[in-house]
């Protein structure tokens, strides 16, 4: 172990202690290997900041929290669990004497729910904050609230190798920023000349081959190989152990699922040269001594929301420039080093500069539930460092409502929601564990959750022979796809997770082993939370109910027996996977909902990993989310109004059938709407109707004393509804006579007055009757042949002189010659000009 006082971080020891004495917030920017993770807690301990409380150091990974606690305990010559301890998702080694406590981020957020003021905490350290994990962001925001509102004595330290210091400084203001430059040696960087994709080789094959080549060139120092996850690490270790001399090299894996003793062996110093194959835990959180050679796969398992399963999942992705630089720097801590990147230099140019903050990548339901439990009613008002997308917040709240964790009406946390928080699981699985306790099947449900959450243990693309063996050994259950998965796991366990036996049935042996281990951890949590883990009344119905409790928002109903089409809760549509065993169930719940793009860009929604559901289960689990309604609508042909009785779960229609007794009002409403939208033709509504309505509106405007209501859009709909009362079909509408309904708009006195003041025919001086048209804008036009107008002088008007008429002068053939409101001018100027032509064309008519 190096002399800690020689570590670069001690350059800022004095400044740090002074900054914390003067204020409550400090940002420390120090490169990887500077000693900040192990030494800053000890500096605070020696500086007297932990006399009345503890320092809690938040780590993004469980492995780092445990190994750092062990390192600090060794440096202080104490046992882990005493002065120095750690708490992670499934493990706790602390005591009342603990003053330096390493924890993962979710642990502290849950502690805040039980101990709102963090009474025993003197200093909070957010380590490796540049990784921008969601729980880190949330916990920092809550810590600021606690400090500002209740605990001004609480000290907050944010540490990272690389930070957007300006943005964070503004968020934490007032705060001080301290920098430790660190000491590093130059590291030569090399790339592959051809991409691994073009070589068509697995990444572990390439890594092993290149590592062996480089170890021959670089004869001193240890090698560190970065791989995305446990599976890739195991394959790489196998290849290296087979090709490297065990006398000269010790090959060690390093990832979270390893037993603690194997994790310790990876970072311990030995006489032999070490080749450590690690996840990104060795990128920043841990420093492995003597590394001079880095082989970087350029890949990482990144947490992202998996829309298929409706949960957060780890996917393999390319690392950013920032991560690549962090990994490169591991080779230059004690001497000049070499870093080989297993991708091309051109590929490097197209990689993103840094990782997107987790808040934009994953489902927020778990942290939203925690915030609501802390008393925050309006989540959007939380002091976010980076505010989440509105859509992400809405989706999280919708899921929590569907799970019964928050009230549908006011969004406040329910008692069920508070109980769910006791489990460090995604809310779906926490809800399923509570249901399992109720139904007495906690052990089976713990296993099922482990199987649903992890990598699928049944390989999807197997040959027909393997598929047939599966059917023979595992059987087929038409009620649930999970029966086969549970049988496969039991078969793998009985075979000791033998790779050969599992391969014969297309079972992923390692995934099955990990699921068993994870199920055991879930059971430990369940027992600590008071759930009954001894009894396991394994019953397909009870397990189905538990699945439904966690995935009720993926409840689906078969739309017809002849196809696989399904209607899904929240107005979605999809198709049951052809590979699903649940082919005959009218009602089912899917734990995977995948969107697959077809050849022409069309997206298909596929439901898989399904279980049959009984409607009685819905009433048992969600009694308040049922409703029945009567809907008056057009039938499937779209030409007849019928009444339908519907039974719904949320917005999913469980039953829809035609019934008797369509109301007159409901039918009239629908038919009127169809007429207005042009889907149903009403021959009776012709130009004469429009003329009559225009007269009514004009009369209403000119004679308010008669109290006649004008007929606008809504009034037109009312008249149509009145006319359609008693009708049921488009056929009846076509025979409809509108006039009785229209005439009822006016009382007898009003109708008589309108006929008197706004006549349809105007009596001319010569005794003839001319037609008057009333336009929508209130203009009235009298149309008459020119011979009928010879004796007309001056203006013509109706409405007792309140409305002057425009004159439409017609030729003998009834075609318009001119429209004028000044007839005197027409006779003097226009008529003499057109008269000769008209007289020549119509010689039998009188021409004055």
């Amino acid at each position: 172990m190096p002399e800690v006082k020689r570590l670069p971080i001690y350059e800022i020891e004095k400044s740090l202690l002074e900054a914390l004495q003067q204020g409550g917030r400090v940002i420390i920017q120090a490169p990887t290997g500077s000693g900040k993770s192990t030494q800053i807690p000890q500096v605070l301990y020696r500086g007297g900041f932990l006399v009345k409380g503890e320092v809690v150091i938040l780590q993004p990974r469980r492995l780092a929290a445990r190994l750092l606690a062990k390192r600090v305990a060794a440096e202080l010559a104490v046992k882990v669990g005493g002065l120095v301890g750690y708490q992670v998702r499934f493990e706790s080694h602390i005591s009342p004497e603990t003053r330096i406590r390493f924890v993962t981020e979710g642990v502290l957020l849950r502690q805040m729910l039980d101990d709102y003021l963090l009474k025993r905490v003197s200093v909070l350290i957010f380590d490796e904050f540049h990784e921008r994990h969601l729980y880190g962001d949330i916990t920092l925001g809550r810590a600021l609230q606690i400090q500002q509102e209740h605990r001004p004595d609480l000290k907050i330290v944010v540490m990272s190798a690389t930070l957007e210091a300006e943005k964070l400084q503004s968020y934490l203001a007032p705060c001080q920023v301290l920098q430790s430059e660190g000491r590093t040696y130059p590291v030569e960087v090399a790339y592959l000349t051809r991409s691994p994709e073009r070589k068509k080789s697995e990444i572990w094959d390439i890594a092993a081959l290149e590592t062996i080549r480089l170890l021959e060139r670089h004869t001193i120092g240890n090698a560190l190989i970065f791989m995305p996850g446990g599976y890739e690490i195991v394959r790489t270790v196998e290849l290296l152990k087979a090709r490297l001399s065990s006398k000269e090299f010790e090959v060690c894996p390093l990832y979270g699922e390893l037993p603690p003793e194997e994790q310790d062996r990876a970072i311990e110093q030995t006489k032999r040269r070490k080749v450590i194959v690690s996840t990104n835990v060795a990128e920043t959180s841990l420093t492995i001594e003597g590394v001079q050679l880095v082989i970087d796969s350029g890949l990482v398992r990144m947490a992202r929301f998996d829309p298929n399963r409706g949960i957060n999942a780890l996917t393999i992705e390319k690392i950013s420039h920032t991560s690549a630089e962090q990994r490169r720097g591991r080779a230059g801590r004690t001497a000049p080093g070499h870093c080989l990147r297993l991708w091309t230099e051109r590929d490097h140019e197209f990689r993103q500069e840094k990782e997107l903050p987790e808040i934009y990548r994953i489902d927020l339901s778990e942290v939203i539930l925690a915030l609501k439990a802390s008393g925050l009613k309006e989540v959007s008002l939380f002091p976010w460092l980076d505010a989440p997308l509105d859509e992400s917040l809405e989706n999280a709240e919708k899921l929590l409502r569907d799970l019964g964790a928050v009230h549908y009406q006011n969004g406040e946390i329910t008692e069920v929601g508070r109980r769910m928080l006791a489990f460090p699981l995604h809310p779906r699985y926490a809800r399923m564990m509570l249901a399992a306790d109720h139904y007495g099947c906690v052990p089976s449900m713990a296993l099922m959750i482990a199987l649903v959450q992890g990598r699928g243990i049944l390989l999807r693309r197997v040959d027909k022979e393997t598929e047939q063996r599966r059917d023979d050994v595992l059987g087929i259950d038409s009620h649930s796809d999970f029966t086969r998965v549970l049988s496969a796991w039991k078969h793998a366990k009985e075979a000791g997770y033998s790779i050969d036996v599992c391969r014969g049935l297309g079972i992923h042996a390692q995934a099955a082993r990990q699921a068993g281990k994870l199920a055991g951890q879930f059971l430990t949590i369940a027992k600590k939370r008071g759930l009954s883990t001894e009894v396991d009344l394994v019953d397909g119905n009870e397990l189905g109910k538990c699945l439904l409790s966690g995935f009720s928002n993926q409840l689906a109903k078969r739309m017809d027996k002849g196809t696989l089409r399904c209607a899904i809760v929240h107005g979605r549509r999809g198709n049951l996977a052809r590979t699903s065993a649940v082919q005959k169930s009218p009602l089912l719940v899917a734990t995977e909902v995948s969107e697959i793009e077809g050849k022409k860009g069309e997206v298909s929604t596929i439901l898989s990993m399904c279980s049959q559901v009984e409607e009685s289960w819905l009433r048992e689990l969600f009694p308040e989310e049922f409703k029945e309604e009567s809907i008056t609508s057009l039938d499937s042909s779209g030409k007849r109004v019928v009444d339908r009785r519907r039974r719904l779960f949320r917005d999913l229609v469980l039953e829809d059938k035609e019934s008797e007794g369509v109301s007159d009002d409901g039918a009239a409403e629908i038919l009127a709407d169809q007429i207005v939208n042009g889907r149903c033709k009403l021959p009776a509504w012709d130009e004469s109707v429009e003329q009559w309505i225009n007269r009514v509106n004009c009369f209403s405007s000119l004679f308010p004393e008669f109290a006649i209501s004008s007929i606008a859009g809504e009034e037109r709909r009312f008249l149509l509804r009145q006319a359609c009362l008693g009708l049921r079909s488009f056929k009846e509408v076509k025979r409809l006579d509108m006039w009785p309904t229209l005439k009822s708009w006016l009382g007898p006195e009003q109708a008589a007055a309108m006929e008197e003041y706004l006549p349809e025919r105007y009596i001319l001086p010569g005794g003839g009757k001319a037609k008057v048209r009333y336009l929508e804008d209130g203009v009235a036009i009298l149309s008459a042949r020119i011979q009928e107008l010879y004796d007309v002088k001056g203006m013509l008007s109706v409405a007792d002189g309140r409305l002057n008429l425009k004159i439409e002068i017609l030729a003998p053939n009834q075609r318009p010659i001119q429209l004028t409101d000044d007839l005197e001018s027409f006779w003097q100027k226009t008529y003499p000009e057109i008269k000769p032509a008209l007289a020549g064309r119509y010689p039998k008519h009188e021409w004055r």
Side-chain angles (χ1 to χ4, degrees), residues 368-369 372-373 396-417 420:
I368 298 304
L369 185 60
K372 286 181 177 291
E397 297 240 19
K398 182 189 292 183
L399 175 59
L400 292 174
R401 288 195 298 271
D402 288 340
L403 294 173
V406 301
H407 289 287
Y408 259 93
Q409 290 74 23
N410 56 27
E412 293 183 3
I413 189 168
T414 63
E415 183 56 34
V416 169
M420 286 166 58

PDB file of all heavy atoms in Angstrom, residues 368-369 372-373 396-417 420:
ATOM      1  N   ILE A 368     -39.407   8.954  -8.199  1.00  0.00           N
ATOM      2  CA  ILE A 368     -40.596   9.792  -8.016  1.00  0.00           C
ATOM      3  C   ILE A 368     -41.382   9.307  -6.801  1.00  0.00           C
ATOM      4  O   ILE A 368     -41.878  10.099  -6.000  1.00  0.00           O
ATOM      5  CB  ILE A 368     -41.478   9.782  -9.281  1.00  0.00           C
ATOM      6  CG1 ILE A 368     -40.729  10.356 -10.475  1.00  0.00           C
ATOM      7  CG2 ILE A 368     -42.772  10.543  -9.029  1.00  0.00           C
ATOM      8  CD1 ILE A 368     -40.193  11.737 -10.296  1.00  0.00           C
ATOM      9  N   LEU A 369     -41.484   7.992  -6.645  1.00  0.00           N
ATOM     10  CA  LEU A 369     -42.184   7.435  -5.487  1.00  0.00           C
ATOM     11  C   LEU A 369     -41.463   7.833  -4.200  1.00  0.00           C
ATOM     12  O   LEU A 369     -42.108   8.188  -3.204  1.00  0.00           O
ATOM     13  CB  LEU A 369     -42.262   5.913  -5.605  1.00  0.00           C
ATOM     14  CG  LEU A 369     -43.081   5.188  -4.527  1.00  0.00           C
ATOM     15  CD1 LEU A 369     -44.529   5.667  -4.536  1.00  0.00           C
ATOM     16  CD2 LEU A 369     -43.015   3.681  -4.712  1.00  0.00           C
ATOM     17  N   LYS A 372     -42.193  11.478  -3.431  1.00  0.00           N
ATOM     18  CA  LYS A 372     -43.551  11.651  -2.905  1.00  0.00           C
ATOM     19  C   LYS A 372     -43.624  11.192  -1.451  1.00  0.00           C
ATOM     20  O   LYS A 372     -44.336  11.771  -0.636  1.00  0.00           O
ATOM     21  CB  LYS A 372     -44.557  10.894  -3.776  1.00  0.00           C
ATOM     22  CG  LYS A 372     -44.823  11.561  -5.117  1.00  0.00           C
ATOM     23  CD  LYS A 372     -45.847  10.802  -5.930  1.00  0.00           C
ATOM     24  CE  LYS A 372     -46.160  11.525  -7.234  1.00  0.00           C
ATOM     25  NZ  LYS A 372     -46.889  12.774  -7.022  1.00  0.00           N
ATOM     26  N   ALA A 373     -42.886  10.135  -1.136  1.00  0.00           N
ATOM     27  CA  ALA A 373     -42.868   9.643   0.240  1.00  0.00           C
ATOM     28  C   ALA A 373     -42.230  10.665   1.178  1.00  0.00           C
ATOM     29  O   ALA A 373     -42.542  10.704   2.371  1.00  0.00           O
ATOM     30  CB  ALA A 373     -42.119   8.325   0.321  1.00  0.00           C
ATOM     31  N   ALA A 396     -43.909   8.178 -15.568  1.00  0.00           N
ATOM     32  CA  ALA A 396     -43.620   7.640 -14.235  1.00  0.00           C
ATOM     33  C   ALA A 396     -44.839   7.744 -13.331  1.00  0.00           C
ATOM     34  O   ALA A 396     -45.194   6.792 -12.630  1.00  0.00           O
ATOM     35  CB  ALA A 396     -42.431   8.379 -13.627  1.00  0.00           C
ATOM     36  N   GLU A 397     -45.501   8.889 -13.355  1.00  0.00           N
ATOM     37  CA  GLU A 397     -46.681   9.089 -12.506  1.00  0.00           C
ATOM     38  C   GLU A 397     -47.817   8.158 -12.949  1.00  0.00           C
ATOM     39  O   GLU A 397     -48.552   7.614 -12.120  1.00  0.00           O
ATOM     40  CB  GLU A 397     -47.132  10.551 -12.559  1.00  0.00           C
ATOM     41  CG  GLU A 397     -46.100  11.525 -12.006  1.00  0.00           C
ATOM     42  CD  GLU A 397     -46.642  12.327 -10.829  1.00  0.00           C
ATOM     43  OE1 GLU A 397     -47.636  11.918 -10.222  1.00  0.00           O
ATOM     44  OE2 GLU A 397     -46.040  13.368 -10.525  1.00  0.00           O
ATOM     45  N   LYS A 398     -47.955   7.968 -14.255  1.00  0.00           N
ATOM     46  CA  LYS A 398     -49.010   7.079 -14.762  1.00  0.00           C
ATOM     47  C   LYS A 398     -48.779   5.660 -14.272  1.00  0.00           C
ATOM     48  O   LYS A 398     -49.713   4.980 -13.832  1.00  0.00           O
ATOM     49  CB  LYS A 398     -49.041   7.127 -16.290  1.00  0.00           C
ATOM     50  CG  LYS A 398     -50.147   6.259 -16.893  1.00  0.00           C
ATOM     51  CD  LYS A 398     -50.017   6.141 -18.401  1.00  0.00           C
ATOM     52  CE  LYS A 398     -50.292   7.442 -19.096  1.00  0.00           C
ATOM     53  NZ  LYS A 398     -50.242   7.292 -20.584  1.00  0.00           N
ATOM     54  N   LEU A 399     -47.525   5.187 -14.325  1.00  0.00           N
ATOM     55  CA  LEU A 399     -47.223   3.837 -13.861  1.00  0.00           C
ATOM     56  C   LEU A 399     -47.504   3.705 -12.370  1.00  0.00           C
ATOM     57  O   LEU A 399     -48.085   2.703 -11.919  1.00  0.00           O
ATOM     58  CB  LEU A 399     -45.761   3.492 -14.154  1.00  0.00           C
ATOM     59  CG  LEU A 399     -45.292   2.135 -13.610  1.00  0.00           C
ATOM     60  CD1 LEU A 399     -46.120   0.995 -14.187  1.00  0.00           C
ATOM     61  CD2 LEU A 399     -43.810   1.921 -13.896  1.00  0.00           C
ATOM     62  N   LEU A 400     -47.116   4.700 -11.584  1.00  0.00           N
ATOM     63  CA  LEU A 400     -47.347   4.635 -10.139  1.00  0.00           C
ATOM     64  C   LEU A 400     -48.840   4.610  -9.822  1.00  0.00           C
ATOM     65  O   LEU A 400     -49.271   3.924  -8.886  1.00  0.00           O
ATOM     66  CB  LEU A 400     -46.668   5.829  -9.454  1.00  0.00           C
ATOM     67  CG  LEU A 400     -45.129   5.814  -9.487  1.00  0.00           C
ATOM     68  CD1 LEU A 400     -44.568   7.107  -8.904  1.00  0.00           C
ATOM     69  CD2 LEU A 400     -44.581   4.607  -8.737  1.00  0.00           C
ATOM     70  N   ARG A 401     -49.634   5.333 -10.597  1.00  0.00           N
ATOM     71  CA  ARG A 401     -51.095   5.276 -10.393  1.00  0.00           C
ATOM     72  C   ARG A 401     -51.618   3.873 -10.727  1.00  0.00           C
ATOM     73  O   ARG A 401     -52.445   3.321 -10.003  1.00  0.00           O
ATOM     74  CB  ARG A 401     -51.791   6.330 -11.262  1.00  0.00           C
ATOM     75  CG  ARG A 401     -51.595   7.754 -10.784  1.00  0.00           C
ATOM     76  CD  ARG A 401     -52.586   8.689 -11.462  1.00  0.00           C
ATOM     77  NE  ARG A 401     -52.417   8.741 -12.896  1.00  0.00           N
ATOM     78  CZ  ARG A 401     -51.625   9.581 -13.533  1.00  0.00           C
ATOM     79  NH1 ARG A 401     -50.906  10.460 -12.839  1.00  0.00           N
ATOM     80  NH2 ARG A 401     -51.531   9.578 -14.847  1.00  0.00           N
ATOM     81  N   ASP A 402     -51.119   3.311 -11.830  1.00  0.00           N
ATOM     82  CA  ASP A 402     -51.570   1.982 -12.225  1.00  0.00           C
ATOM     83  C   ASP A 402     -51.197   0.926 -11.190  1.00  0.00           C
ATOM     84  O   ASP A 402     -51.918  -0.064 -11.008  1.00  0.00           O
ATOM     85  CB  ASP A 402     -50.963   1.591 -13.581  1.00  0.00           C
ATOM     86  CG  ASP A 402     -51.571   2.361 -14.734  1.00  0.00           C
ATOM     87  OD1 ASP A 402     -52.679   2.900 -14.557  1.00  0.00           O
ATOM     88  OD2 ASP A 402     -50.952   2.430 -15.808  1.00  0.00           O
ATOM     89  N   LEU A 403     -50.079   1.118 -10.504  1.00  0.00           N
ATOM     90  CA  LEU A 403     -49.630   0.163  -9.493  1.00  0.00           C
ATOM     91  C   LEU A 403     -50.330   0.369  -8.154  1.00  0.00           C
ATOM     92  O   LEU A 403     -50.157  -0.440  -7.238  1.00  0.00           O
ATOM     93  CB  LEU A 403     -48.115   0.278  -9.293  1.00  0.00           C
ATOM     94  CG  LEU A 403     -47.227  -0.129 -10.479  1.00  0.00           C
ATOM     95  CD1 LEU A 403     -45.778   0.194 -10.192  1.00  0.00           C
ATOM     96  CD2 LEU A 403     -47.395  -1.607 -10.797  1.00  0.00           C
ATOM     97  N   GLY A 404     -51.095   1.452  -8.051  1.00  0.00           N
ATOM     98  CA  GLY A 404     -51.748   1.744  -6.781  1.00  0.00           C
ATOM     99  C   GLY A 404     -50.807   2.383  -5.781  1.00  0.00           C
ATOM    100  O   GLY A 404     -51.120   2.460  -4.586  1.00  0.00           O
ATOM    101  N   ALA A 405     -49.645   2.865  -6.249  1.00  0.00           N
ATOM    102  CA  ALA A 405     -48.671   3.472  -5.348  1.00  0.00           C
ATOM    103  C   ALA A 405     -49.011   4.922  -5.036  1.00  0.00           C
ATOM    104  O   ALA A 405     -48.591   5.449  -4.003  1.00  0.00           O
ATOM    105  CB  ALA A 405     -47.269   3.393  -5.967  1.00  0.00           C
ATOM    106  N   VAL A 406     -49.730   5.587  -5.928  1.00  0.00           N
ATOM    107  CA  VAL A 406     -50.204   6.947  -5.676  1.00  0.00           C
ATOM    108  C   VAL A 406     -51.676   7.023  -6.055  1.00  0.00           C
ATOM    109  O   VAL A 406     -52.173   6.227  -6.856  1.00  0.00           O
ATOM    110  CB  VAL A 406     -49.388   8.007  -6.465  1.00  0.00           C
ATOM    111  CG1 VAL A 406     -47.918   7.965  -6.102  1.00  0.00           C
ATOM    112  CG2 VAL A 406     -49.572   7.833  -7.965  1.00  0.00           C
ATOM    113  N   HIS A 407     -52.374   7.979  -5.460  1.00  0.00           N
ATOM    114  CA  HIS A 407     -53.796   8.145  -5.726  1.00  0.00           C
ATOM    115  C   HIS A 407     -54.005   8.694  -7.138  1.00  0.00           C
ATOM    116  O   HIS A 407     -53.270   9.579  -7.593  1.00  0.00           O
ATOM    117  CB  HIS A 407     -54.420   9.110  -4.715  1.00  0.00           C
ATOM    118  CG  HIS A 407     -54.530   8.533  -3.335  1.00  0.00           C
ATOM    119  ND1 HIS A 407     -55.446   7.562  -3.011  1.00  0.00           N
ATOM    120  CD2 HIS A 407     -53.829   8.802  -2.202  1.00  0.00           C
ATOM    121  CE1 HIS A 407     -55.313   7.255  -1.730  1.00  0.00           C
ATOM    122  NE2 HIS A 407     -54.333   7.974  -1.211  1.00  0.00           N
ATOM    123  N   TYR A 408     -55.035   8.182  -7.806  1.00  0.00           N
ATOM    124  CA  TYR A 408     -55.365   8.649  -9.154  1.00  0.00           C
ATOM    125  C   TYR A 408     -55.763  10.121  -9.133  1.00  0.00           C
ATOM    126  O   TYR A 408     -55.433  10.882 -10.045  1.00  0.00           O
ATOM    127  CB  TYR A 408     -56.505   7.810  -9.746  1.00  0.00           C
ATOM    128  CG  TYR A 408     -56.025   6.770 -10.724  1.00  0.00           C
ATOM    129  CD1 TYR A 408     -55.745   5.477 -10.306  1.00  0.00           C
ATOM    130  CD2 TYR A 408     -55.823   7.083 -12.059  1.00  0.00           C
ATOM    131  CE1 TYR A 408     -55.296   4.511 -11.199  1.00  0.00           C
ATOM    132  CE2 TYR A 408     -55.378   6.128 -12.962  1.00  0.00           C
ATOM    133  CZ  TYR A 408     -55.115   4.849 -12.529  1.00  0.00           C
ATOM    134  OH  TYR A 408     -54.658   3.909 -13.416  1.00  0.00           O
ATOM    135  N   GLN A 409     -56.477  10.546  -8.092  1.00  0.00           N
ATOM    136  CA  GLN A 409     -57.026  11.898  -8.080  1.00  0.00           C
ATOM    137  C   GLN A 409     -55.969  12.955  -7.756  1.00  0.00           C
ATOM    138  O   GLN A 409     -55.743  13.888  -8.528  1.00  0.00           O
ATOM    139  CB  GLN A 409     -58.175  12.002  -7.062  1.00  0.00           C
ATOM    140  CG  GLN A 409     -59.440  11.263  -7.453  1.00  0.00           C
ATOM    141  CD  GLN A 409     -59.297   9.756  -7.297  1.00  0.00           C
ATOM    142  OE1 GLN A 409     -58.453   9.274  -6.530  1.00  0.00           O
ATOM    143  NE2 GLN A 409     -60.123   9.019  -8.022  1.00  0.00           N
ATOM    144  N   ASN A 410     -55.302  12.825  -6.618  1.00  0.00           N
ATOM    145  CA  ASN A 410     -54.391  13.894  -6.174  1.00  0.00           C
ATOM    146  C   ASN A 410     -52.914  13.573  -6.316  1.00  0.00           C
ATOM    147  O   ASN A 410     -52.059  14.423  -6.057  1.00  0.00           O
ATOM    148  CB  ASN A 410     -54.687  14.261  -4.714  1.00  0.00           C
ATOM    149  CG  ASN A 410     -54.607  13.053  -3.778  1.00  0.00           C
ATOM    150  OD1 ASN A 410     -53.897  12.094  -4.058  1.00  0.00           O
ATOM    151  ND2 ASN A 410     -55.353  13.102  -2.679  1.00  0.00           N
ATOM    152  N   GLY A 411     -52.575  12.351  -6.720  1.00  0.00           N
ATOM    153  CA  GLY A 411     -51.176  12.002  -6.942  1.00  0.00           C
ATOM    154  C   GLY A 411     -50.367  11.777  -5.690  1.00  0.00           C
ATOM    155  O   GLY A 411     -49.146  11.566  -5.756  1.00  0.00           O
ATOM    156  N   GLU A 412     -51.003  11.791  -4.513  1.00  0.00           N
ATOM    157  CA  GLU A 412     -50.271  11.578  -3.269  1.00  0.00           C
ATOM    158  C   GLU A 412     -50.003  10.093  -3.057  1.00  0.00           C
ATOM    159  O   GLU A 412     -50.762   9.236  -3.505  1.00  0.00           O
ATOM    160  CB  GLU A 412     -51.053  12.154  -2.082  1.00  0.00           C
ATOM    161  CG  GLU A 412     -51.163  13.672  -2.116  1.00  0.00           C
ATOM    162  CD  GLU A 412     -51.888  14.220  -0.898  1.00  0.00           C
ATOM    163  OE1 GLU A 412     -52.246  13.420   0.000  1.00  0.00           O
ATOM    164  OE2 GLU A 412     -52.084  15.449  -0.831  1.00  0.00           O
ATOM    165  N   ILE A 413     -48.923   9.794  -2.339  1.00  0.00           N
ATOM    166  CA  ILE A 413     -48.528   8.411  -2.124  1.00  0.00           C
ATOM    167  C   ILE A 413     -49.563   7.685  -1.268  1.00  0.00           C
ATOM    168  O   ILE A 413     -50.148   8.256  -0.350  1.00  0.00           O
ATOM    169  CB  ILE A 413     -47.126   8.340  -1.471  1.00  0.00           C
ATOM    170  CG1 ILE A 413     -46.608   6.895  -1.457  1.00  0.00           C
ATOM    171  CG2 ILE A 413     -47.132   8.941  -0.074  1.00  0.00           C
ATOM    172  CD1 ILE A 413     -45.146   6.771  -1.100  1.00  0.00           C
ATOM    173  N   THR A 414     -49.810   6.417  -1.590  1.00  0.00           N
ATOM    174  CA  THR A 414     -50.762   5.601  -0.840  1.00  0.00           C
ATOM    175  C   THR A 414     -50.009   4.752   0.184  1.00  0.00           C
ATOM    176  O   THR A 414     -48.768   4.696   0.201  1.00  0.00           O
ATOM    177  CB  THR A 414     -51.536   4.663  -1.784  1.00  0.00           C
ATOM    178  OG1 THR A 414     -50.597   3.754  -2.389  1.00  0.00           O
ATOM    179  CG2 THR A 414     -52.249   5.453  -2.868  1.00  0.00           C
ATOM    180  N   GLU A 415     -50.758   4.040   1.019  1.00  0.00           N
ATOM    181  CA  GLU A 415     -50.128   3.137   1.978  1.00  0.00           C
ATOM    182  C   GLU A 415     -49.395   2.019   1.247  1.00  0.00           C
ATOM    183  O   GLU A 415     -48.312   1.594   1.646  1.00  0.00           O
ATOM    184  CB  GLU A 415     -51.192   2.555   2.917  1.00  0.00           C
ATOM    185  CG  GLU A 415     -50.624   1.650   3.994  1.00  0.00           C
ATOM    186  CD  GLU A 415     -49.566   2.327   4.849  1.00  0.00           C
ATOM    187  OE1 GLU A 415     -49.685   3.553   5.097  1.00  0.00           O
ATOM    188  OE2 GLU A 415     -48.614   1.637   5.279  1.00  0.00           O
ATOM    189  N   VAL A 416     -49.987   1.537   0.142  1.00  0.00           N
ATOM    190  CA  VAL A 416     -49.313   0.518  -0.678  1.00  0.00           C
ATOM    191  C   VAL A 416     -47.987   1.064  -1.204  1.00  0.00           C
ATOM    192  O   VAL A 416     -46.961   0.378  -1.198  1.00  0.00           O
ATOM    193  CB  VAL A 416     -50.215   0.076  -1.851  1.00  0.00           C
ATOM    194  CG1 VAL A 416     -49.426  -0.768  -2.857  1.00  0.00           C
ATOM    195  CG2 VAL A 416     -51.402  -0.715  -1.332  1.00  0.00           C
ATOM    196  N   GLY A 417     -47.992   2.328  -1.661  1.00  0.00           N
ATOM    197  CA  GLY A 417     -46.767   2.946  -2.163  1.00  0.00           C
ATOM    198  C   GLY A 417     -45.684   3.012  -1.097  1.00  0.00           C
ATOM    199  O   GLY A 417     -44.495   2.780  -1.378  1.00  0.00           O
ATOM    200  N   MET A 420     -44.226  -0.358  -0.655  1.00  0.00           N
ATOM    201  CA  MET A 420     -43.374  -0.715  -1.799  1.00  0.00           C
ATOM    202  C   MET A 420     -41.965  -0.159  -1.651  1.00  0.00           C
ATOM    203  O   MET A 420     -40.986  -0.792  -2.065  1.00  0.00           O
ATOM    204  CB  MET A 420     -44.011  -0.184  -3.098  1.00  0.00           C
ATOM    205  CG  MET A 420     -45.232  -0.966  -3.550  1.00  0.00           C
ATOM    206  SD  MET A 420     -46.199  -0.097  -4.829  1.00  0.00           S
ATOM    207  CE  MET A 420     -44.967   0.131  -6.110  1.00  0.00           C
TER     208      MET A 420
END
